Structure formats: C-alpha cells, structure tokens
C-alpha cells in the first residue's frame, strides 16, 4: 500500500483550520490562537484521523472537521503547557510561545477559545450524521478530561519518575489524543465495527508512545535552535535521564517496539501502517542528523 | 404564578454536579474543580435553564445535565478569571481561590477539566435526543467562544471604559452564558418555537445585564468579608465608578430597567418572570442590608 500523500493531507488541514478560527482583533485571543495554530506543525494527529477514515472506506470530507478539532485541542494544550505556571517555555516551533508574545492573559483566553472552538467544530462537523458528531465529541472529551490530557499533565507536574508513572504521563499527555485521533477517523467511516475501533485505539496508543519515546530522545540530543522549542524542560524524565548515546539507543529501541505494535494493530497493508513506518523513518533520520 | 422552589432546584443541581465530577487524587485537578464547584453559589444559571424548560412544558430531568454543564462552564470561567494573570483575586465566595489553594498549574488544569467536562456532559446528556444534545452544544460553545465569554474577558483586560465597551464586556462576560442558560432550557422542552427561543434569549440577556448592574453596585458598597470575594478588582468600571449613594441609585435604576425587560420578554405570568422578580428583590435586600 502506498504511503498517504502527507503533504496534501497537511495542506487540507491547514486550509480548513484557517477557515475555522476567526481573525479576531489584533492582539486578541483569536489572533493569538491563529498565531499558534497556523504556525506550522506536522499535523500528525489530523493525518492519523484522515488516514484512519480512509482505511475504513470513509471520505476525507467526513473526517476533516474532527481532524481539525483534534489539532485545535492539541494546540490549546501546547499553549497551556508552555505557560510560566507549567513548563515556562519561551520558544515553540522556533518562535516565541503565545504567552511570551501576547501575554499570559491572552494566551489563556486563546487556549480556552481553541478548546471551546474544537467542540463547536465537532458539534457542527460537516458531512457527518448527528450520531457521528456525538460519538466524536464523546471520544475527544474523554481524551482531554480527568483521565486524559488533564490527568497526564497533572501527573507530570509532580512526577516521581517511576517507569509506571512515566507511562501514565505519556498515556495521558500524548497517548490519549493519538487514540482519539485514530478512533475519530474510524467513526467518520461508514460502518466501522467495535473490533475495528479497538484496533484503531491500540494503533493510536502505540503510535503515541512511539512518538513520545522519540520526542524524549530529540529533546535530549537536539539543541534549542534545531528543535525549535525550549528543550531540557522535560529533563530528568524517561529515557532522557540516561543521557547521550545510551539515551538515543534505548529511546530508539523503545520507540521501535511501539511502532511495531502500531503496525501489528492495523495490519501491514493498511495505509495506517505505512503512516507509522513513515513516522519511524522521519524520526530516525531526524535523530541521525542531529 | 408561584415562584419556582429555588431551594429544591439548587439542591437538585448540587446533587447532580457532585455525580458529574470525579473525586480525583488529593490536590489534583478534579479535587480542585470540586473544591470550587461544590463550594456553594446561587446556581442562578442552572435555575434559569430548569425554569425555562418547565415554562415550556419540559421535564427537569431533560434539562438537568445542560443546567449542570452551564454551571461547570461558569465555575471554570471564575477559576480562570481569578488567576494572577487575570484579576489576581485571593478570595471567592468567602474562601481562598483555587490557584491560591492548589497552585496556578492545578487551577488551570481544573478549569480545563471543568470546561471539557461540561461538553462531555452535554454530549451524553441524560433523557435527551441526539438533536437536543447537539443543539445545546452549539448554544453553549457559541456562548463561550470568540464572541462570548472569551471575547468579553479579552475586552475587560484592556478596556477603555466607554459605555459601549462596558456593555460589550457585560454582554460577553455575563450575558452570553445567561442567554445560553435560558435557551438551553427551551431546547430541553418538547416543542419550543423559534419565537420562544428568541424570547428566552432576550430574557437571558436582560437578566444578565440586570445581574451585572447589581453586582457592580455590590462590588462597590460591600466590603471584602460581606461580599465573600476580593472586591475593588473591577473598580473603575461602569456604575461603580460613580461611588457611594449615586452609584447605588444609578446602578439600581439600571438593573431595574433590565429586570423589566426580562419580565417583558417572557410575559408576567411565566415562572421565569417570577424568577426575575425574586432575583430583583434578593439583590435589593442585599444592597439595603450592606
């Protein structure tokens, strides 16, 4: 199976996101949200949603608003995570973080607006049935909530750093939204079985862990400029605690284990498997170049 | 028409809210959310929703989850507003604000969890149809979004204090959620017309302005202890700028004008009209006792 055309999918998401968030007043919350949301990014979660829908015979148009909503949630979570009271990061994707540029008050409102906007988009999602919209809303709110992103970030704030805790942090901070991204894609398909949905959730979970393992490696080995964000804030966590070559090797091994699980969950011939392999190669090349 | 049994309605909302937010870990986001959400409060917005549903022949059980979701959103907005980057308030309802007690990081996560939880509750609202749930979701996300609470709070942050700006701030910060509260109640009723919904929105808007006018008066005349929150943070705004007796008189006159409009919107015999009159008397008595 050929690799999905990632550039086309990314551009599709970018164009739709541009439609979904208003310009707003200069220096206001909507402008700050757009600054962060439209600054780039891999759109990995959105691409998972779109690819999952296609894998199960769904149309891109049915999955597109869910894909965008998940990117909006992800963007909101980055804005909140970067705040001084959280990770206190000055740089993100190579430019000033939202609070550094617009102030903390506007950054918080931008985050709220993006979260709320994501749910508004889901409640109005184009080319979907009422049942699909509500299904997606339940999936995404579960991913964000007390047992999802909010939980993962809270654990991260006062983590003791046992392996079990680190897994729980990654499950919440990264895994939950990857799982939701994959499952929402399935919901957008015309007739996805409960077994398919379970496989999609396993895929999302494994890919989330793989992504996080590689991100930890990159966080350790790449300097501020190359990574485009303030690094070292997550220092002392997970494989990053090992440092140097050992860190790269053990992190890569861990990521590969999870990539293998992701591929296994959906079967080698699925477009989702090609996507997992592409991400694996992308990260390996990035680490090698660093 | 007899006044709705406010104490019963309030207790109903409190019991359901207690079910809707998990206990969570000690000192964590859910615990912080419960600390704020279950500390009391008039539950005015929820009571509006429940009373609006009844006015149009709806059942309480159909409107209850929407009423609770709106209180969760309201509570989240208070947590965010109290943050050091916003109003920097140490007290709320007579006790320490969430960030003062749990830290800013946990307070932000509690606010996110409550917002997200509200949408989860709406997406799963008991005893409603899919169409009702999506209708309520669209109403509430519009109220919170770029033209609602987020907009009102952003205007408030750098307000020049013209009358038009103050109205826009109040429309966003208070009116938007009152409007949503009233309209969601209508949606919970079996067959509410577009004309009814328009009347409910007018009612909510007028009641929101009336509430805000009285709140400004109270903010000026009541000292910290009696008001149960850090006062003076909104100083210099609206009628509060006048100070003293003139402030009380002009603020009361303004509130009465809006109360009259609220009653007019729904008709004198509606339970909602009784509710507006009750709130009017409650505030007048509170101001007189101060």
């Amino acid at each position: 199976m050929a690799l999905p055309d990632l550039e086309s999918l990314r551009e599709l998401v970018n164009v739709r996101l541009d439609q979904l968030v208003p310009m707003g007043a200069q220096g206001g919350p909507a402008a700050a949200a757009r600054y962060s949301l439209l600054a780039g990014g891999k759109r990995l979660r959105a691409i998972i949603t779109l690819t999952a829908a296609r894998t199960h015979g769904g149309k891109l148009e049915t999955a597109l608003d869910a894909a965008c909503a998940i990117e909006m949630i992800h963007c909101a979570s980055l804005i909140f995570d970067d705040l001084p009271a959280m990770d206190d990061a000055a740089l993100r994707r190579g430019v000033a973080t939202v609070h550094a540029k617009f102030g903390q008050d506007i950054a918080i409102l931008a985050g709220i607006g993006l979260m709320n906007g994501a749910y508004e988009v889901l409640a109005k999602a184009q080319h979907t049935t009422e049942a699909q919209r509500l299904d997606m809303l339940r999936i995404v709110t579960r991913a964000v909530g007390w047992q999802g992103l909010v939980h993962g970030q809270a654990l991260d704030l006062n983590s003791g750093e046992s392996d079990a805790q680190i897994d729980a942090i990654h499950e919440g901070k990264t895994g939950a939204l990857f799982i939701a991204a994959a499952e929402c894609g399935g919901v957008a398909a015309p007739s996805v079985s409960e077994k398919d949905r379970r496989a999609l959730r396993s895929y999302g979970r494994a890919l989330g862990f793989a992504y996080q393992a590689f991100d930890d490696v990159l966080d350790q080995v790449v300097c501020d400029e190359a990574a485009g964000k303030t690094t070292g804030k997550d220092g002392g966590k997970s494989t990053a605690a090992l440092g140097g070559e050992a860190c790269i090797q053990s992190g890569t091994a861990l990521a590969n284990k999870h990539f293998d699980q992701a591929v296994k969950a959906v079967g080698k011939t699925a477009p989702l498997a090609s996507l997992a392999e592409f991400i694996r190669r992308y990260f390996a090349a990035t680490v090698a170049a660093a």
Side-chain angles (χ1 to χ4, degrees), chain A:
Chain A
M1 188 85 193
L3 183 68
D5 181 351
L6 299 188
E7 192 189 354
S8 297
L9 294 178
R10 191 178 296 118
E11 189 57 16
L12 175 64
V13 170
N14 287 337
V15 168
R16 183 65 180 146
L17 283 173
D18 184 47
Q19 291 176 338
L20 290 173
V21 178
M23 304 294 283
Q26 200 179 357
R34 289 176 64 89
Y35 165 82
S36 180
L37 186 68
L38 305 178
K42 296 181 283 296
R43 308 299 184 207
L44 197 49
R45 292 156 190 82
I47 289 171
I48 290 170
T49 303
L50 296 172
T51 307
R54 271 187 169 171
T55 298
H56 290 282
K59 289 182 178 172
L60 289 182
E61 63 179 20
T62 314
L64 182 57
D65 281 358
C68 289
I70 286 168
E71 288 293 331
M72 290 166 74
I73 296 273
H74 174 55
C75 182
S77 78
L78 298 181
I79 292 173
F80 287 123
D81 283 6
D82 287 340
L83 286 172
M86 303 277 192
D87 290 348
D88 195 15
L91 287 177
R92 165 76 65 182
R93 290 172 184 164
V95 295
T97 48
V98 176
H99 68 88
K101 188 172 168 75
F102 293 86
Q104 282 193 63
D105 44 7
I106 292 295
I108 291 168
L109 292 174
I112 295 170
L114 279 169
M115 262 190 69
N116 179 75
Y119 296 125
E120 188 168 21
V121 166
L122 287 172
K124 297 176 177 175
Q126 293 186 346
H127 309 293
T128 57
T129 64
E130 289 184 340
Q132 283 173 318
R133 270 170 265 162
L134 286 168
D135 217 350
M136 291 166 173
L137 275 158
R138 285 186 293 257
I139 289 166
V140 177
T141 51
R142 188 176 58 216
V144 174
W146 309 115
Q147 292 303 317
L149 284 172
V150 167
H151 181 62
Q153 181 69 14
L155 285 178
D156 202 14
L157 290 172
N158 47 69
S159 50
E161 308 308 341
S162 72
D163 280 355
Q165 274 188 313
I166 289 163
D167 273 2
I169 292 168
H170 289 175
E171 173 104 38
K173 285 193 71 170
T174 309
L177 211 50
F178 272 74
I179 293 169
E183 191 171 9
C184 278
V187 170
S191 60
V192 70
S193 69
E194 184 43 49
K195 193 182 157 207
D196 292 333
R197 287 174 70 148
R198 210 158 41 232
L200 287 170
R201 289 196 294 268
S202 299
Y203 172 86
R205 188 170 184 277
L207 208 56
F209 274 114
Y211 180 86
Q212 192 63 56
F214 257 131
D215 203 52
D216 283 351
V217 172
L218 280 178
D219 202 47
Q220 183 74 6
V221 301
V222 183
C223 67
D224 269 18
E225 286 73 20
K229 64 175 181 172
T230 306
T231 57
K233 297 290 175 187
D234 301 327
K237 307 259 171 76
S238 189
T239 54
L242 297 170
E245 272 305 311
C247 154
I248 296 177
Q249 287 188 8
S250 79
T252 302
L254 182 64
N256 279 329
K257 190 188 84 174
H258 291 302
F259 277 123
D260 291 343
Q261 286 176 342
V263 171
K264 196 179 161 198
V266 292
K268 280 186 185 170
T269 58
L272 286 169
S274 308
L275 179 61
E277 296 295 358
F278 175 84
I279 298 166
R280 189 204 302 255
R281 287 194 302 274
Y282 168 82
F283 270 110
T286 309
V287 170

